[in-house]
Amino acid sequence: MTPDVRDRLDRPSRVTPGAAQPTGSPVPEAAWSRALQLISQADEVALACHVSPDGDALGSMLAVGFTLRSMGKRVTASFGDRDFTVPRLLGFLPGQDMLVPPADYPAAPDLMITFDSPSIGRLGVLADSVRRARELIVVDHHPSNDGFGTLGLIDPSSAATAMLAEQLIYRLGGALDRDIATCLYAGLVTDTGSFKYSSTTPAVHQMAARLVATGLRTEEIARELWDRSPFGYLKVLGAALERVRLDDGLVWTYVTRVDRAAYGLPYCELEGIIDIVRRTDEARVAAVLKEDDQGAWQVSTRSKGHVDVAAICAALGGGGHHSAAGFTSHEGVEETMAKFQELLREA
């Protein structure tokens, strides 16, 4: 942990465990107690988050990793993408020295903790390590979580997995320093749409206050997450908007590998397109199909509240939240969207 110093606005850079901690938890106390026992007994802890990690997945994992290292634990962290690359938008997160490629990840961890992943499938090539782990703690907030793991710290009412990660940190006797707070804040603002979504509760703002009290440069975090992109992104966005369609309350488009290759744009740069498409007044639901480097279509969906896109995506092998979910398709664009639209009509 970093020493207690002051930032440029004379705010403390460290918040001690006794300072306005969250109270109460829908997670049973027996589950928290068991998690603390498993962690206290472990010399080494293997951490993992879902493929193509967002701020909540990677931020929550690294925040807990900092705390475990401060306890003297050996920490290994990873995510299961074959092309193991931290998304450029998350390059500012501290603690990335904990990350190892999947090839260097323990094959059969004694204790493994996963973050923000509702199923084994979302852990990609780390799935075999998940299955072989002696003890597996699942930290997650997805309603679609299928109950994998030997112990679940799962709360679908939490706006972000980062909220559960913060509780775990406090329960382990840790404190919020600026590095940990940066990771948690990235998770919180990512999954609440910078506090725009309906999941933004008083508890979310209270947590944000605790994090900001460490002296975060919130404007710098916002710039990294939302206000930067390579020039090629604008070209690819233009191509996606040229082919956008509006069909009976659904607005959707797609981005191919060829689109990206023309400008050397990596797949991870496509995340923000759904947030532009979803603005359409005439649409209740938005979808963006993004072809990954292996040729599969990663489909992101958003709802304005009336339609449960998580249920639709679950029927197609994916999952997520009521108003934000996704799935993977190995069929063509038209075939994929025909199936999605059929389920949407039924919904």
Side-chain angles (χ1 to χ4, degrees):
M1 297 294 182
T2 60
D4 188 5
V5 297
R6 312 295 289 189
D7 79 344
R8 57 182 176 151
L9 297 179
D10 199 36
R11 297 173 298 196
S13 67
R14 189 171 188 266
V15 177
T16 60
Q21 292 182 52
T23 57
S25 171
V27 177
E29 282 301 316
W32 286 115
S33 297
R34 177 60 176 158
L36 300 185
Q37 180 185 37
L38 290 172
I39 292 170
S40 68
Q41 293 173 347
D43 294 322
E44 182 173 4
V45 186
L47 310 180
C49 66
H50 65 67
V51 295
S52 300
D54 57 9
D56 195 26
L58 188 60
S60 297
M61 179 173 71
L62 294 176
V64 172
F66 273 119
T67 300
L68 295 176
R69 285 205 308 196
S70 75
M71 297 169 63
K73 311 294 183 183
R74 296 191 302 276
V75 176
T76 302
S78 190
F79 48 90
D81 288 275
R82 295 185 186 279
D83 178 17
F84 181 75
T85 304
V86 173
R88 181 190 59 79
L89 295 176
L90 301 178
F92 70 94
L93 289 180
Q96 294 188 33
D97 59 302
M98 288 182 259
L99 296 175
V100 300
D104 296 334
Y105 196 79
D110 281 340
L111 177 59
M112 184 173 178
I113 307 177
T114 66
F115 296 86
D116 204 41
S117 185
S119 66
I120 292 178
R122 287 288 286 152
L123 293 161
V125 297
L126 295 180
D128 287 341
S129 293
V130 173
R131 297 186 181 96
R132 297 189 188 112
R134 184 173 62 84
E135 295 284 355
L136 176 62
I137 301 173
V138 176
V139 184
D140 187 31
H141 74 129
H142 288 91
S144 59
N145 189 285
D146 63 14
F148 76 104
T150 59
L151 178 64
L153 303 178
I154 301 167
D155 176 16
S157 69
S158 287
T161 293
M163 299 184 77
L164 291 158
E166 186 201 25
Q167 287 196 51
L168 180 57
I169 288 167
Y170 280 134
R171 288 170 182 267
L172 288 169
L176 296 180
D177 64 20
R178 199 173 297 158
D179 285 343
I180 291 174
T182 297
C183 293
L184 293 177
Y185 189 82
L188 196 63
V189 296
T190 297
D191 267 31
T192 61
S194 195
F195 310 114
K196 292 184 297 187
Y197 298 161
S198 60
S199 59
T200 304
T201 62
V204 167
H205 286 298
Q206 290 160 3
M207 177 175 171
R210 290 189 294 273
L211 302 178
V212 173
T214 65
L216 293 186
R217 309 299 203 269
T218 55
E219 75 284 3
E220 294 177 8
I221 294 174
R223 182 164 56 251
E224 293 290 338
L225 289 173
W226 294 295
D227 294 339
R228 293 183 57 209
S229 63
F231 179 73
Y233 172 79
L234 298 179
K235 291 289 191 178
V236 172
L237 174 62
L241 296 180
E242 278 290 326
R243 57 173 75 111
V244 70
R245 303 188 203 176
L246 180 63
D247 298 326
D248 192 25
L250 168 68
V251 60
W252 67 277
T253 189
Y254 62 93
V255 178
T256 69
R257 283 186 290 179
V258 174
D259 292 334
R260 294 190 289 112
Y263 302 99
L265 193 72
Y267 171 83
C268 63
E269 296 287 347
L270 304 180
E271 190 67 30
I273 293 178
I274 186 67
D275 293 316
I276 295 173
V277 173
R278 67 190 289 269
R279 299 175 185 176
T280 306
D281 285 339
E282 296 87 347
R284 294 171 291 124
V285 173
V288 174
L289 296 82
K290 302 164 292 185
E291 189 179 15
D292 65 22
D293 293 336
Q294 286 72 49
W297 292 99
Q298 305 298 333
V299 186
S300 297
T301 71
R302 298 291 186 271
S303 165
K304 293 181 179 176
H306 298 294
V307 178
D308 183 359
V309 288
I312 296 175
C313 290
L316 295 169
H321 302 282
H322 181 281
S323 299
F327 66 96
T328 300
S329 174
H330 296 281
E331 298 183 286
V333 169
E334 298 296 337
E335 295 87 348
T336 299
M337 290 310 298
K339 291 183 177 179
F340 182 82
Q341 287 175 288
E342 181 180 356
L343 291 169
L344 180 60
R345 285 191 292 270
E346 294 174 1

